[in-house]
Amino acid sequence: MTTTAPTAAAASSQATITIGSTVGIPQLNPAVSTFSWEETLYPLLWDGLTQLNAKGDVVPDLATSWSSSPNSEQWQFTLRQGVKFSNGKPLTAADIVQDFRYYLKPSTPFQNANEIASIKSVSSSGNTITFRLSAPNALFPEAITTVKAIYLPSLSDIDHHPIGTGPFTVQSFVPNSTLTLVANRHYWGSAPKVAKLVFLTEPDPTSAFTALKAGTIQVMGAIPDSDVSEVAHSSSLKLVKPEVPGSYVSWEVDTKAPPFNNVKARQALAYAINAKAVLNEAYFGVGTVSTENDPISAKSPWYDPNLTKYTYNLAKAKQLFAQAGIKSGTTFTWWTTSAYPEWTTSGEILQASLKQIGINLKIVSNDVSTWAAKFYPAGKSYPGLIVPNFQSTPEEPAFSLNFFMPNRCECNWNSATYASVFNSAIGTRSVVARAKDWDRLQAMINEQVPTYQPIQLEVDAATSSSVSGVWEESGDQLHLEGASISS
Amino acid sequence: MWRYVARRVATSIGMLVATSVIIFVVLRALPGNPVITRLGANSGVSPGEVARLRRQLGLDEPIAVQYWHWIAGAVRGNFGRSFFSQFSVTQLIAQRLPATLELTIASVLITLILAVPAAVLGAVRRGGLLDRLGALLSSFGIALPPFVSGIILLVVFGVHLRLLPSAGYVAISTNLGQNLRHMVLPALTLSIAQAPLVFRYLRTQLIEELSSAYARTAEGKGAPRRRVVFRHALRNALIPALTMLGLIVGYALGGVVVVEYVFGIGGLGSLAITSATERDYAVLQSIVLLVSATFITVSLLVDLAVQALDPRLRGARS
Amino acid sequence: MSALLEVRNLRVGIAGRPAQEIVRGVSFVLKRGERLGLVGESGSGKSVTALSIARLIHTPLRVLGGEVYLEGVDLLRLSDRRMNRVRGGRIGLIYQDPMAALNPVQTVGTQIAEAIRLHSHMSRAAARARAIELLGDVGLPHAAQRVDSYPHELSGGLRQRALIAIAISADPELLLADEPTTALDVTTQARILDLLGELSATRGISVLLITHDLAVATEFCDTIQVMYAGRIVEQAAVGAFYERPLHPYTRALLQTEVNLETDISRPIPTIAGQPPLPGEFEGCCAFAPRCAVVEQVCREVRPDLVAIGNGTVACHVAAATAVVVNRRPLTP
């Protein structure tokens, strides 16, 4: 591993880029990715049939083209010719079929299992892969972007020697510490512009950012919000941000247990959130306030502007709390984790607001596991708790709005209407009809307040100004496959 | 002597067993579990899936059975697998042991190189300029948490002077020069915290030895001051200081966690932090066991060394 | 007999304004072959006097003035290097607590050999052989085996013998023996004194014996000097001293003596009061507050040493009541 800045001439094939992150990479199987940072490896080591580009559009990857039956229940993909795995074995349509069957197995903890749950069968013939779905899905090519082509015979050794079709392969791997990638000489596309990518885990954000400034690392994923303005004003560093942010602050309550089983109580809390203060104090102003409690960014074409605005209004909050039978002197609990100091700050701001209308907020800070155990997975009862969290999804509403489907959200909110509208949206090929459905769903979330989305976040990465070709997807996934470095 | 060694070894093993039970039980008593962490990124997980994963990880068995599996494996050198990857605990630890070992040894060496001469100078010229400088610097060193001193060193040597790399670790086998360059700042950070303790302890001890009757006897023989200091006082002061060194090694093992965190070094400390956060029981309990075993062994060796060096503790010879 | 050691107006203490003097102008002469006793209570300055002669005092104590001549050479003005040759070479030292005075982690052989090799060019093996020889000379049984013993493996008496072996290893002309028998039982005390006496006689070594024990001093020494509060208050040949002590302090010391004939069923008399602190009673007789025969003059004028008979004494009362034959001030 070389961590000194390369002195060779521009974009030489000997160049190394070191990428620092506060989050580690614990394992390499793309089907069981446990943390979002691992997804940075998706475009480097793996390919799917389809992929999303910087604009959020679905484009060919291992599939060169695709088509569907009129009702969107049957899909056919044509496999790219001449693709080889990094061990030199050719990729066949049968491999893809096996991979999908592996992803669909209940014992595979695939985090996007819901996206592909409607696949009834997958088969191949020649170069063609055919999917049959149990329900129409016009957005199926989008839904399978996270399913990657894996060389299954070596699955049991995937953390040591992962074999994929991406532009890089693994040279060495120390889980949660260092991962070194080198160019895959069997890659079907154009060769990468650097010889090596080194992923270095630097758990402390301050020292990671220091290492970026020192040049020991040249890319840092998810820089602290407090450092964003310094990067923006630096001549030696540049910011990398998604075109449309896909992350948002998400606070959850148990909508099945009192007091938040009452929609008035949920709306009351929405009015009590001083989102502007939370954004400025806790997130250093990096992001935008979402008054409509909308999980979809205002920058997205799918965003619905005609919704009730929950502008900070304590009088209204007090009135709604009273209507929900919540008396002055009631105590809620802010169940947070010390891993995210901004959550504690957010809690303190909410605490100050609620205090003014006679409601107490007890702030309890835990380590991550203790925090999660209380409300996760969906189905747990946690009355009176307000749990800060965050979500990050691709720009496509099918991903972000999927979270509110029955039995998915830890908020325990189940709405059959919501489910049927959602299914109709992904089932229709008409963009206009789908937009209408997305609007209906946004309106339901706006009115019902199953969770709170006070702020659309912006998770920025930073690179040294010598690095180019790095971009960030809507769900904060960093793309380094085209990265190059000059001296 | 041999009976003493046997007794000490026996108590050490007893302590180790007790430690293993405590860590095993305490870990599982903590809220949260590896299943939840592993499913952490997934929404809409069914209770059935949680139960299945629990069974797969062997967490549904009675705790005594789980403990027995672990210990029975451990004595055969099999510490189990991580819940989060295909790596065995042994592989994970072997990958990270060199960095931690080198860091610990380097920091203890730097500590000795800094503290011993400073203590000698301070004790010989008590109240002199160097003595007062040593006292001042050691107050700083004790007051500064390694976290802060590490960041200061990073900013000064990494960002401003650009002399040394500020993150990561290079194996000795890969590149010795790079390895040493990467080690300087982390080892120094640890030493800044350790050296004052050794300096103060050794200086006090040395002053006591220098004012002792036997030091005066040596001087009375016509031995030059330097000989009195090094041949008599320092040698004797180092015997109790050796016990201190044993504690310093334990201290270093603790400090390593912070230093690895600050400098992004993939050592045992950072592995311990990750596995604690993820509740990766198999990994964490094995690290704790290993570190305890190391500390207990070092204490044992120190005790035996003190025994060997101090004839008064050896018991009558004839 | 010629003077081997001459101490002139030696003053030792903690420097400062005012300086705290512990030894306040001590002068005496030690003749070649003589055994001179320096007697006093603890804190009287006798040990500091002896250590100052060998320049073994450390900060905060320091020599404030005076001279210490060893055969005409002022030791206080020697370079450190040359003083190291004198120390352990021409002057041997024996200390009070033989356990603490030996390095606990080295064998006695090693410690004797170190002393030998510091003053002669001798191989390790030769030094070891010489160490065994010396241990035999000081009466250590089975010297060849005991040479490898550690201090804690020896009895107090044997340790003191080992220390004496160190002290005589370079054939010194003078032994400074600082309370050499204090830590020992009575039988061992007598044996060690016999050994010192024998060494002194056979090797012609002069001895300055520092002790608080008048009995030890009178048994061993030719001449006795009594120190009180940093000054010599009486000096006399041992015979005259015992028969006719002149200073009230000396008389009081003699009365408190305990020996085998003492009736221990009766309370042992002690000298009432406390010895003065450094700097106290500067302008008068320092013993006045505790003195049984004190007079007004004692509280106003400090008595000088005057010759009475064959000795000298610093006491107004003694000087006045003595049958004065050749009374004259003693000039150093």
Side-chain angles (χ1 to χ4, degrees):
Chain A
M1 188 181 75
T2 306
T3 48
T4 42
T7 48
S12 99
S13 62
Q14 292 303 303
T16 296
I17 297 181
T18 304
I19 304 108
S21 159
T22 55
V23 188
I25 297 170
Q27 57 91 41
L28 299 176
N29 187 344
V32 295
S33 90
T34 43
F35 300 100
S36 54
W37 177 242
E38 288 166 64
E39 294 171 12
T40 307
L41 300 177
Y42 283 4
L44 301 173
L45 296 177
W46 318 101
D47 294 307
L49 288 175
T50 56
Q51 63 183 336
L52 296 173
N53 68 8
K55 290 197 179 94
D57 298 330
V58 65
V59 293
D61 197 359
L62 289 177
T64 48
S65 63
W66 52 84
S67 59
S68 74
S69 62
N71 65 356
S72 302
E73 280 196 14
Q74 183 173 325
W75 285 84
Q76 287 191 323
F77 292 79
T78 308
L79 189 64
R80 188 181 294 279
Q81 289 300 286
V83 175
K84 282 180 179 168
F85 282 111
S86 56
N87 62 357
K89 298 250 166 67
L91 170 79
T92 65
D95 287 323
I96 300 286
V97 170
Q98 291 307 320
D99 285 338
F100 267 91
R101 288 182 182 154
Y102 165 65
Y103 270 83
L104 285 165
K105 264 200 268 183
S107 58
T108 306
F110 177 44
Q111 65 159 322
N112 287 329
N114 285 280
E115 313 290 342
I116 60 169
S118 62
I119 298 177
K120 225 165 40 181
S121 74
V122 50
S123 59
S124 67
S125 123
N127 269 339
T128 311
I129 301 136
T130 307
F131 296 88
R132 288 189 177 77
L133 309 183
S134 57
N137 189 351
L139 299 175
F140 188 66
E142 279 88 341
I144 59 170
T145 50
T146 50
V147 178
K148 304 297 180 184
I150 300 171
Y151 183 70
L152 276 184
S154 70
L155 183 67
S156 60
D157 202 26
I158 196 165
D159 287 339
H160 297 95
H161 303 288
I163 295 167
T165 59
F168 289 89
T169 60
V170 170
Q171 186 186 57
S172 67
F173 177 43
V174 178
N176 289 313
S177 174
T178 39
L179 170 67
T180 307
L181 305 185
V182 290
N184 170 13
R185 59 195 181 91
H186 295 293
Y187 184 52
W188 54 272
S190 51
K193 295 180 187 127
V194 290
K196 247 186 204 183
L197 291 178
V198 178
F199 287 82
L200 185 64
T201 310
E202 276 214 83
D204 178 44
T206 312
S207 35
F209 190 61
T210 307
L212 179 70
K213 289 195 280 184
T216 305
I217 62 175
Q218 292 90 44
V219 178
M220 181 179 170
I223 51 168
D225 292 331
S226 51
D227 294 326
V228 167
S229 75
E230 183 179 341
V231 177
H233 293 103
S234 162
S235 58
S236 58
L237 301 175
K238 26 180 207 196
L239 274 182
V240 178
K241 47 170 83 183
E243 275 186 32
V244 179
S247 305
Y248 53 90
V249 169
S250 166
W251 297 350
E252 299 182 66
V253 293
D254 183 358
T255 60
K256 279 281 163 292
F260 293 113
N261 57 352
N262 186 329
V263 69
K264 289 236 160 61
R266 298 205 293 272
Q267 288 170 345
L269 187 58
Y271 280 112
I273 299 170
N274 187 350
K276 200 173 272 177
V278 171
L279 177 65
N280 290 333
E281 302 300 321
Y283 295 92
F284 297 87
V286 184
T288 47
V289 165
S290 158
T291 356
E292 296 89 8
N293 197 43
D294 195 340
I296 292 174
S297 164
K299 288 184 185 167
S300 163
W302 307 103
Y303 167 75
D304 177 5
N306 308 312
L307 296 168
T308 310
K309 291 198 186 309
Y310 292 98
T311 318
Y312 180 48
N313 186 339
L314 285 177
K316 204 148 189 180
K318 191 175 183 178
Q319 182 193 343
L320 282 164
F321 271 132
Q323 287 174 24
I326 293 165
K327 294 187 188 71
S328 177
T330 305
T331 299
F332 299 139
T333 300
W334 182 258
W335 186 256
T336 184
T337 160
S338 47
Y340 300 96
E342 62 268 31
W343 294 1
T344 306
T345 311
S346 306
E348 284 160 0
I349 292 164
L350 184 62
Q351 186 182 47
S353 303
L354 290 174
K355 187 93 208 151
Q356 291 180 49
I357 51 173
I359 291 170
N360 306 311
L361 186 67
K362 190 174 138 202
I363 297 179
V364 181
S365 191
N366 314 279
D367 75 329
V368 173
S369 286
T370 312
W371 165 77
K374 194 91 178 176
F375 69 99
Y376 178 89
K380 291 245 168 94
S381 176
Y382 51 100
L385 257 59
I386 304 169
V387 183
N389 203 342
F390 82 101
Q391 299 285 341
S392 95
T393 68
E395 185 199 340
E396 170 55 53
F399 288 89
S400 50
L401 298 180
N402 187 308
F403 181 60
F404 300 93
M405 292 288 276
N407 304 319
R408 289 218 58 189
C409 176
E410 296 90 19
C411 61
N412 301 325
W413 184 70
N414 287 337
S415 163
T417 326
Y418 187 94
S420 76
V421 176
F422 184 90
N423 287 331
S424 131
I426 63 170
T428 178
R429 300 175 87 175
S430 153
V431 176
V432 179
R434 195 185 306 140
K436 249 183 205 153
D437 286 338
W438 289 154
D439 281 355
R440 279 186 70 194
L441 297 181
Q442 290 175 66
M444 285 175 79
I445 294 166
N446 175 267
E447 190 220 318
Q448 286 294 312
V449 202
T451 62
Y452 298 86
Q453 288 74 233
I455 289 163
Q456 294 290 336
L457 284 176
E458 211 178 81
V459 181
D460 297 341
T463 73
S464 140
S465 46
S466 60
V467 172
S468 48
V470 179
W471 59 278
E472 201 177 304
E473 217 179 283
S474 189
D476 308 326
Q477 180 185 327
L478 207 55
H479 283 260
L480 293 156
E481 60 273 21
S484 64
I485 185 164
S486 63
S487 57
Chain B
M1 176 77 179
W2 289 115
R3 271 178 61 192
Y4 173 81
V5 174
R7 205 174 57 230
R8 282 289 276 113
V9 170
T11 28
S12 298
I13 292 172
M15 278 162 73
L16 214 51
V17 172
T19 311
S20 72
V21 173
I22 292 169
I23 178 66
F24 196 88
V25 174
V26 165
L27 254 184
R28 281 154 181 80
L30 286 175
N33 62 58
V35 174
I36 286 177
T37 328
R38 234 185 96 162
L39 298 172
N42 304 11
S43 292
V45 174
S46 70
E49 200 167 319
V50 172
R52 194 192 51 72
L53 200 54
R54 268 179 67 84
R55 206 162 45 244
Q56 188 189 320
L57 300 179
L59 296 174
D60 55 341
E61 291 182 278
I63 190 159
V65 175
Q66 293 183 41
Y67 178 78
W68 174 248
H69 283 324
W70 177 49
I71 287 299
V75 294
R76 280 180 275 121
N78 174 10
F79 291 87
R81 297 193 155 270
S82 164
F83 295 149
F84 292 85
S85 70
Q86 294 168 344
F87 284 80
S88 71
V89 173
T90 314
Q91 279 174 321
L92 288 174
I93 288 178
Q95 278 179 331
R96 288 157 174 269
L97 193 60
T100 301
L101 215 54
E102 191 185 348
L103 191 55
T104 308
I105 292 171
S107 76
V108 170
L109 282 182
I110 295 177
T111 296
L112 293 180
I113 290 168
L114 291 176
V116 174
V120 171
L121 282 172
V124 171
R125 300 214 190 288
R126 237 170 115 183
L129 193 67
L130 282 170
D131 189 28
R132 277 179 287 165
L133 187 70
L136 185 75
L137 289 178
S138 72
S139 306
F140 268 120
I142 286 176
L144 269 184
F147 190 82
V148 176
S149 51
I151 299 263
I152 293 174
L153 289 178
L154 268 183
V155 170
V156 173
F157 291 97
V159 180
H160 288 294
L161 302 175
R162 294 218 168 198
L163 279 177
L164 293 162
S166 59
Y169 172 75
V170 175
I172 298 179
S173 54
T174 311
N175 185 331
L176 180 64
Q178 283 295 330
N179 168 271
L180 294 178
R181 279 166 52 83
H182 279 81
M183 265 299 133
V184 175
L185 295 183
L188 203 58
T189 305
L190 269 179
S191 302
I192 286 173
Q194 296 162 9
L197 303 177
V198 178
F199 165 75
R200 288 189 175 186
Y201 186 79
L202 189 59
R203 178 183 168 277
T204 312
Q205 204 66 39
L206 209 47
I207 286 172
E208 201 172 288
E209 300 291 343
L210 277 173
S211 61
S212 72
Y214 75 80
R216 199 178 59 193
T217 307
E219 214 175 339
K221 290 178 194 175
R225 183 83 174 142
R226 196 156 10 111
R227 191 180 169 91
V228 176
V229 171
F230 287 99
R231 273 297 176 83
H232 292 275
L234 184 60
R235 270 196 188 183
N236 292 16
L238 281 177
I239 294 174
L242 203 60
T243 314
M244 180 74 180
L245 193 69
L247 291 176
I248 288 291
V249 170
Y251 188 89
L253 286 172
V256 150
V257 175
V258 177
V259 169
E260 287 180 357
Y261 178 80
V262 171
F263 288 91
I265 294 175
L268 283 184
S270 55
L271 183 61
I273 292 184
T274 318
S275 45
T277 324
E278 292 176 343
R279 303 282 193 269
D280 199 348
Y281 297 154
V283 178
L284 186 57
Q285 69 206 16
S286 301
I287 294 176
V288 172
L289 192 67
L290 179 72
V291 171
S292 314
T294 309
F295 186 61
I296 288 171
T297 311
V298 168
S299 320
L300 179 66
L301 290 179
V302 163
D303 270 13
L304 295 181
V306 169
Q307 288 269 319
L309 290 175
D310 192 335
R312 284 165 294 182
L313 300 175
R314 262 181 255 158
R317 285 156 66 97
S318 48
Chain C
M1 282 198 292
S2 60
L4 174 64
L5 179 77
E6 186 177 353
V7 175
R8 278 193 205 159
N9 198 22
L10 179 68
R11 291 183 301 115
V12 185
I14 300 168
R17 285 167 195 277
Q20 279 192 315
E21 288 190 20
I22 290 163
V23 175
R24 306 174 175 189
V26 164
S27 305
F28 64 86
V29 172
L30 173 65
K31 298 195 195 79
R32 195 171 278 282
E34 191 182 15
R35 301 179 197 169
L36 176 62
L38 200 52
V39 183
E41 288 171 292
S42 62
S44 62
K46 57 188 192 308
S47 285
V48 175
T49 303
L51 291 174
S52 303
I53 292 167
R55 280 172 56 185
L56 281 175
I57 51 169
H58 293 301
T59 37
L61 283 183
R62 52 191 275 199
V63 173
L64 303 170
E67 292 105 46
V68 174
Y69 292 101
L70 184 69
E71 288 205 310
V73 177
D74 187 355
L75 297 183
L76 300 184
R77 280 166 187 75
L78 280 185
S79 70
D80 284 351
R81 246 180 94 105
R82 292 187 59 195
M83 189 60 206
N84 283 339
R85 306 274 293 270
V86 172
R87 227 188 266 128
R90 299 182 64 190
I91 302 178
L93 289 118
I94 304 169
Y95 310 91
Q96 173 171 358
D97 181 353
M99 180 68 219
L102 286 167
N103 189 331
V105 305
Q106 292 182 359
T107 63
V108 290
T110 309
Q111 298 185 55
I112 298 168
E114 180 184 30
I116 295 167
R117 280 159 56 86
L118 279 167
H119 296 283
S120 65
H121 298 286
M122 214 184 261
S123 70
R124 273 172 205 282
R128 184 183 150 87
R130 175 87 183 108
I132 296 172
E133 207 177 297
L134 280 166
L135 283 175
D137 290 352
V138 297
L140 211 75
H142 312 296
Q145 285 99 57
R146 290 284 168 76
V147 73
D148 292 325
S149 297
Y150 287 96
H152 72 275
E153 294 166 338
L154 300 177
S155 69
L158 294 188
R159 279 180 217 138
Q160 192 55 285
R161 285 175 196 267
L163 265 182
I164 293 170
I166 291 174
I168 63 166
S169 64
D171 286 324
E173 296 152 72
L174 171 65
L175 270 183
L176 299 181
D178 185 3
E179 304 263 15
T181 58
T182 306
L184 307 173
D185 64 79
V186 180
T187 327
T188 316
Q189 272 188 10
R191 289 198 187 137
I192 293 292
L193 284 181
D194 285 349
L195 172 66
L196 284 176
E198 188 197 319
L199 290 170
S200 157
T202 56
R203 302 186 180 217
I205 304 175
S206 316
V207 180
L208 178 62
L209 178 75
I210 317 296
T211 181
H212 69 283
D213 189 339
L214 256 179
V216 167
T218 49
E219 191 187 321
F220 183 79
C221 297
D222 313 321
T223 311
I224 293 188
Q225 299 185 128
V226 178
M227 266 189 94
Y228 187 78
R231 289 197 174 83
I232 292 175
V233 293
E234 181 162 13
Q235 189 250 332
V238 70
F241 185 86
Y242 230 122
E243 282 158 26
R244 206 160 56 88
L246 294 174
H247 199 285
Y249 175 59
T250 315
R251 285 203 295 272
L253 273 183
L254 284 168
Q255 277 164 20
T256 62
E257 219 183 299
V258 180
N259 55 36
L260 291 175
E261 285 92 47
T262 307
D263 179 1
I264 54 166
S265 63
R266 293 206 201 149
I268 297 162
T270 53
I271 305 174
Q274 293 293 318
L277 299 168
E280 260 186 320
F281 311 117
E282 194 41 52
C284 60
C285 175
F287 188 61
R290 303 168 77 186
C291 184
V293 294
V294 64
E295 290 181 5
Q296 192 52 35
V297 63
C298 303
R299 299 195 174 97
E300 287 163 0
V301 181
R302 182 159 60 77
D304 284 326
L305 272 174
V306 293
I308 295 176
N310 287 326
T312 52
V313 69
C315 174
H316 294 300
V317 178
T321 54
V323 181
V324 183
V325 182
N326 51 351
R327 185 174 166 179
R328 56 179 169 79
L330 188 92
T331 43

